[in-house]
Amino acid sequence: KVSTADQRLVEDVLNFQLVDKEMRALARKKLEKCDQGMEGKIPWGKVALVGGVGLGMALAPKLLLGALGFEGATIAAGSWAASVQPAAIASGSWFAWAQSTAATSGAFLGLGAVSSALTVAATKTKEVDMTDKELLITLVENGLIDYEIRTRMIEQLQRRARQ
């Protein structure tokens, strides 16, 4: 594998974790100026992770309560919930909460919907942030490492070498 000087410079900066706010800002500015960075380079892995968390938050309580025997407004015969069900269910008790949540699941589904909507909005507005590695590799891949960015990386490496 042949690597360029810029690739090696980026690898060193990433290896020593020398990306600071100024370097990040320069890289983003360069990507936006050339309109090649964020456009078409949405980190779908992150989008899927955020959306998956939202979906998990929406479904996990319903699935967990269902597995315990809370099936909507009823309790499944022979389930764990049936074995611990009190003769009289007090309003506000954990059992009443579990049965109500299994029956409605409204709050959790709403939370999942909000999370999914925020994920879509972040993707549409390109607010899903790139990691330092994704950012610098995108610059290298598109030949966007210029004098200003290269100088900043070299300064950071020299500063580290003096420490």
Side-chain angles (χ1 to χ4, degrees):
K1 176 182 171 186
V2 177
S3 64
T4 66
D6 286 339
Q7 285 173 322
R8 289 191 299 274
L9 186 59
V10 164
E11 288 170 4
D12 287 344
V13 166
L14 290 170
N15 185 46
F16 293 117
Q17 300 175 350
L18 300 176
V19 180
D20 60 0
K21 287 181 183 180
E22 183 181 337
M23 192 181 306
R24 217 172 280 116
L26 284 171
R28 285 197 179 108
K29 184 173 123 184
K30 186 68 174 171
L31 288 175
E32 288 169 11
K33 186 177 177 182
C34 294
D35 198 30
Q36 293 180 2
M38 302 290 192
E39 191 70 36
K41 297 270 186 188
I42 295 171
W44 290 110
K46 287 184 180 183
V47 172
L49 176 66
V50 172
V53 168
L55 183 61
M57 289 174 69
L59 295 177
K62 179 85 171 165
L63 294 174
L64 177 64
L65 291 171
L68 294 174
F70 294 95
E71 296 178 343
T74 64
I75 303 298
S79 67
W80 179 84
S83 71
V84 298
Q85 182 177 9
I89 301 170
S91 177
S93 68
W94 72 268
F95 197 91
W97 171 86
Q99 192 167 13
S100 173
T101 302
T104 61
S105 296
F108 296 108
L109 293 175
L111 186 60
V114 168
S115 175
S116 297
L118 290 174
T119 302
V120 169
T123 303
K124 295 278 186 209
T125 60
K126 300 175 188 164
E127 290 296 321
V128 178
D129 205 13
M130 298 174 84
T131 65
D132 293 338
K133 182 176 182 178
E134 291 167 334
L135 192 60
L136 294 180
I137 295 297
T138 300
L139 289 178
V140 171
E141 288 173 349
N142 291 292
L144 299 175
I145 302 283
D146 62 2
Y147 176 79
E148 189 177 21
I149 295 170
R150 192 176 295 114
T151 301
R152 180 68 187 158
M153 287 192 280
I154 291 169
E155 286 172 356
Q156 289 292 85
L157 287 166
Q158 288 172 339
R159 190 173 296 124
R160 184 187 184 283
R162 286 191 295 265
Q163 292 177 350

